[in-house]
Amino acid sequence: PSHIAVLTSGGDAPGMNAAIRAVVRSAVYYGKKVSGVYNGYEGLIDGTFEELDSRSVKYILNHGGTFLKSARSQRFRTPEGRKQAHENLVKAGIDALIVIGGDGSFTGAKIFSEEFDFQVIGVPGTIDNDLYGTDFTIGFDTATNTAIECIDKIRDTASSHDRLFLVEVMGRDSGFIALRSAIAAGALEVIMPENSITYDQLYQAIERAGQNKKFSNIIVVAEGNKLGNIFEIADHLKAKFPHLDIKVTILGHLQRGGSPTVFDRVLASKLGVAAVEGLLIGRNKVMAGVMHNQVIYTPFEEAITRRAYINPELIRINKILTI
Ligand code: F6P
């Protein structure tokens, strides 16, 4: 390619700026032109591109969010929208695209790339960690660190009042954030899509905690769990344990913000470079990822459709430690 475009799409994630910076700087390093596209795929359709140089991405490495802004584009789901996007790219002389985002963004990237025989590489940027082909996605580490900082604070007040707190974390239909933050914050239980916990198991855990004189407790609830809405779960528990003081906290979009951790900055830097280098060696319709400390490229098809792997060892450890 001679001119690479980069965009961020879907829910933002801390470290996206660091990834954009890495893409821009490595493109410049290899003597390629590079343009930033504003508002994700919406910007491709509206033609809101801007050529960037190495100075355009100064002082962004440490900031959360994405300076290119992001969107979940409905228009890019239509053939007309994608046709317009392609025309704009061709008009600007752009011949390759890097998409920083999650599975929805890569679905769009795959369709677009096939339709117009356009070279596209993906960089996994989502707090959910739900993509196959990388051990970690950009933003996940920061989001889990934010989650445990909040849970630690909840624990202070939970402990002062001997209360049981249900804390909801994000993750869409996966429990990566829930499991990792439950372990790191010492939660009594975790309710997530992957462990299909029952009410009986929950009741037993709470009864056991009482027998062990553990009077304040945290239960981490993944938003996509199969047991139910967090308020319904709280109602069930209140009915079963009327003597307990039970509270609900939803962490929500807090988890999407903040300065990226060292881990996310380094991962984003690695993957931004890997995406550009992938384009240079002719990779197409793939996502750059890091597995076992090694950069690998996984076809979009696989990255989207195969289930990201929740380490069963973490589930086992959590069981042991909640005794
Ligand atoms: O994919 C990231 C994520 O934060 C999910 O964890 C959550 O379900 C969703 O995005 C929320 O989307 P929105 O920011 O559009 O409300």
Side-chain angles (χ1 to χ4, degrees):
S2 60
H3 189 165
I4 299 167
V6 58
L7 61 81
T8 47
S9 167
D12 64 345
M16 277 185 163
N17 276 323
I20 299 166
R21 170 181 177 271
V23 165
V24 171
R25 295 250 166 112
S26 42
V28 170
Y29 177 84
Y30 286 111
K32 306 294 173 189
K33 283 218 267 189
V34 58
S35 286
V37 179
Y38 288 92
N39 305 317
Y41 291 126
E42 288 289 294
L44 277 189
I45 299 169
D46 295 333
T48 45
F49 313 154
E50 188 183 12
E51 208 173 313
L52 303 173
D53 61 28
S54 62
R55 296 294 90 210
S56 321
V57 289
K58 66 181 181 190
Y59 304 139
I60 64 166
L61 174 70
N62 51 329
H63 293 294
T66 158
F67 91 96
L68 288 177
K69 299 187 183 288
S70 192
R72 302 190 197 276
S73 173
Q74 287 307 320
R75 287 191 291 162
F76 199 69
R77 291 171 188 263
T78 67
E80 300 75 40
R82 293 193 295 273
K83 185 163 169 283
Q84 184 62 54
H86 182 247
E87 280 171 19
N88 290 338
L89 284 169
V90 171
K91 216 184 314 159
I94 294 167
D95 49 4
L97 175 65
I98 293 175
V99 173
I100 305 168
D103 56 351
S105 310
F106 296 161
T107 306
K110 177 177 175 287
I111 295 170
F112 179 77
S113 175
E114 284 165 358
E115 252 171 6
F116 300 100
D117 193 18
F118 203 89
Q119 195 184 10
V120 186
I121 287 197
V123 171
T126 164
I127 63 165
D128 300 338
N129 206 43
D130 57 351
L131 286 164
Y132 178 84
T134 193
D135 289 334
F136 295 103
T137 57
I138 297 163
F140 171 67
D141 185 63
T142 308
T144 44
N145 273 288
T146 302
I148 63 140
E149 218 176 276
C150 296
I151 298 172
D152 286 348
K153 287 180 174 150
I154 290 170
R155 182 178 288 286
D156 289 345
T157 175
S159 150
S160 307
H161 291 268
D162 284 345
R163 282 174 170 161
L164 167 65
F165 270 81
L166 301 182
V167 183
E168 184 183 285
V169 296
M170 277 187 166
R172 204 178 289 276
D173 53 6
S174 78
F176 284 96
I177 298 178
L179 179 58
R180 215 168 173 81
S181 48
I183 291 176
L188 175 68
E189 264 302 347
V190 53
I191 308 176
M192 59 181 186
E194 295 84 351
N195 70 352
S196 51
I197 193 166
T198 62
Y199 275 111
D200 278 341
Q201 287 169 316
L202 266 187
Y203 297 158
Q204 280 165 24
I206 293 168
E207 276 159 6
R208 200 183 56 220
Q211 286 153 12
N212 290 342
K213 307 217 172 336
K214 197 166 183 289
F215 297 122
S216 72
N217 287 292
I218 310 275
I219 295 179
V220 174
V221 182
E223 62 174 350
N225 83 84
K226 298 193 186 99
L227 199 58
N229 171 285
I230 191 164
F231 292 104
E232 282 168 29
I233 298 175
D235 285 344
H236 268 87
L237 297 183
K238 281 177 192 164
K240 173 79 181 171
F241 303 106
H243 62 287
L244 286 186
D245 195 355
I246 300 175
K247 299 278 178 191
V248 167
T249 302
I250 297 176
L251 299 186
H253 287 80
L254 261 178
Q255 297 159 93
R256 288 250 292 270
S259 176
T261 58
V262 172
F263 183 89
D264 275 330
R265 296 183 198 194
V266 174
L267 179 65
S269 301
K270 259 190 201 175
L271 291 178
V273 173
V276 170
E277 291 181 340
L279 288 177
L280 298 181
I281 57 169
R283 299 281 187 163
N284 192 7
K285 301 177 184 57
V286 292
M287 179 193 85
V290 173
M291 283 184 108
H292 309 301
N293 226 8
Q294 200 77 31
V295 168
I296 59 159
Y297 299 94
T298 303
F300 279 144
E301 179 69 36
E302 257 185 275
I304 302 159
T305 53
R306 287 183 69 169
R307 186 98 194 140
Y309 165 86
I310 280 237
N311 188 345
E313 184 59 7
L314 287 185
I315 298 182
R316 194 181 74 86
I317 287 170
N318 194 50
K319 274 235 143 5
I320 293 175
L321 299 181
T322 53
I323 189 93

